[in-house]
Every structure is written in C-alpha cells, then in structure tokens.
Amino acid sequence: MTSDEPARRGGREAQRRRTRKAIVEAAARLSADGATPSIDEIAAAADVSRRTVYAYFPSLDHLLIDATLGALNEPPVEQALTDPAIAGDPAARVDALIRTLLKYSPQSLPLGRRLIRLTVDQPVSEAPEPAAAQAATPGAAPAPRRTQRRIEWLEQACESLRGTLSEEAYQRLISALAIVVGWEAQIVLRDVRGLDPQAEEEAITWAARALVEAAIREHAEAPR
C-alpha cells in the first residue's frame, strides 16, 4: 500500500457520501408536497444519472424511506449535537444523540424496520456499487448498503477524540458505537429482551458511554 492510499480511499468515501446525500436530499425536496417523485425526477434534481441513483438505491421505495427518515431525524439531531453546553464532551454528545433518536423512534423505527428488511433481503449480486474504482481495487471493502447518516452523527459526536486517539482506535470506536446506537439495537432490546422504552434508553446510553470511556482509558494507559 502506498503512503497516499488512505487519503485516496478517504477522498473516494467522501465523494460517495456527497453523492448519496445529494440524491436523498433531492428525493426529500420532491416529496415535500406529498407527491411521489420518479427516479428520473430525483436524478435530474440531484444532477446525477438514473444509473447513479440505482447504484446507491436498488429501489424507489428504499430511497424514499431513507429520505423520509432523514427529514425526520436530521434537524433535531443536528440541534442536539451543536449544543454548546456539551461541546468537547464526546460521551455527553453521544448521550444526546441517543436520546434524540429515541425520542423520535415512534415515527422512525417502523420505517427503520422496513429499511433494514429492504437491505437484508437485497441479494448480494444486486448490491449497490457506487464506486467502480473501488470495485477494481484488490482487497477493497464493499461499499455500505445504507446511508451513513448514523456514522456521520457518531463522528460528529466524537469529533474531539479524533486528534487524541490513533486513527485505528478512533475508527474502532465509531464502528463499536454503530452497533449499539441505531434501530438494530432497539430491535434486539424490544424484540429479544422485551424492554420498555425507559429501560431501552438506559441500556443503550450505558453501553455507548462504556465504549467511549474505554477508548479514552485505553489511550491514557497506552505506553508512550
């Protein structure tokens, strides 16, 4: 691996996120008046090709659910994460993210279940391939099959740790938090554990805080 390979991968990933976000935002704008836009209309509004839209979203239903979830969750989450009272405190910011998402879960979780089903039921052979260059790179990781809104929020919440932890430790923390923050964790706690909403919130916030504190503690205890 060349020394500039991580930067190239980061640039490709950033471009994929921007393209996916543009498509989702176009779908949300066109759906705002209650009409159901077509793939062609969404592609034109996002200034991409129809093929590009299908590269990221295998069906119109998948795209419209994603856009609806973004419109529902993004404004309150962004407000919670920019609260100056918790700036610089990653554990508190992750707590705020979790509490905000759970507040809106009565509306978002049913849509989240549908989105998970669409993703899980999608055959691997039909998985989106938004980056031809990535597919041509030996050993490259597969592109995410869902919008990385959750990852972006977790990265924003843990932003103050990016300059403290090693890049490997930081990415591991974000990956670990992605397991406990989101619909999948809620589904396990409700369907498997049978928890009520208060117990569900306590379990998720406890697990997330434990992960953040463990990452900070490991860094502090690492030999210099």
Side-chain angles (χ1 to χ4, degrees):
M1 180 184 296
T2 61
S3 59
D4 59 347
E5 181 61 24
R8 286 201 298 269
R9 284 204 308 271
R12 289 197 297 268
E13 177 61 28
Q15 180 58 49
R16 287 195 294 273
R17 289 191 187 186
R18 286 193 294 269
T19 301
R20 181 185 283 267
K21 184 175 183 179
I23 294 169
V24 171
E25 289 179 346
R29 288 195 306 272
L30 293 172
S31 303
D33 61 359
T36 300
S38 67
I39 289 291
D40 287 335
E41 290 171 333
I42 294 169
D47 197 23
V48 299
S49 68
R50 175 187 176 93
R51 180 179 179 182
T52 298
V53 175
Y54 276 119
Y56 287 88
F57 299 94
S59 70
L60 179 59
D61 192 28
H62 187 162
L63 171 52
L64 294 179
I65 291 173
D66 198 308
T68 301
L69 286 164
L72 175 66
N73 287 326
E74 284 179 357
V77 166
E78 290 300 327
Q79 182 178 6
L81 290 178
T82 54
D83 182 353
I86 56 175
D89 186 340
R93 296 181 88 192
V94 171
D95 277 357
L97 171 60
I98 293 168
R99 296 182 197 284
T100 302
L101 291 174
L102 292 180
K103 179 180 178 180
Y104 288 87
S105 67
Q107 296 81 33
S108 66
L109 184 56
L111 292 171
R113 287 180 182 270
R114 288 176 60 192
L115 190 57
I116 291 170
R117 184 168 62 251
L118 285 170
T119 305
V120 171
D121 288 348
Q122 178 188 331
V124 174
S125 61
E126 297 178 10
E129 297 180 0
Q134 183 190 48
T137 304
R145 298 173 69 177
R146 277 169 40 197
T147 295
Q148 292 195 284
R149 196 176 288 117
R150 181 190 327 185
I151 301 303
E152 292 170 356
W153 288 336
L154 289 171
E155 289 177 345
Q156 187 177 349
C158 297
E159 184 179 8
S160 64
L161 292 176
R162 187 143 216 170
T164 302
L165 305 179
S166 68
E167 183 63 16
E168 180 182 4
Y170 176 80
Q171 294 299 338
R172 183 175 62 234
L173 172 61
I174 298 300
S175 296
L177 286 170
I179 298 172
V180 301
V181 179
W183 302 309
E184 296 85 355
Q186 285 186 264
I187 291 169
V188 169
L189 293 175
R190 293 188 180 199
D191 295 0
V192 180
R193 288 287 291 157
L195 299 188
D196 61 35
Q198 181 177 348
E200 172 190 24
E201 180 176 311
E202 290 173 355
I204 293 174
T205 53
W206 179 86
R209 183 171 285 271
L211 289 170
V212 173
E213 292 175 350
I216 295 172
R217 184 171 59 251
E218 286 179 3
H219 173 75
E221 295 174 352
R224 297 291 189 268

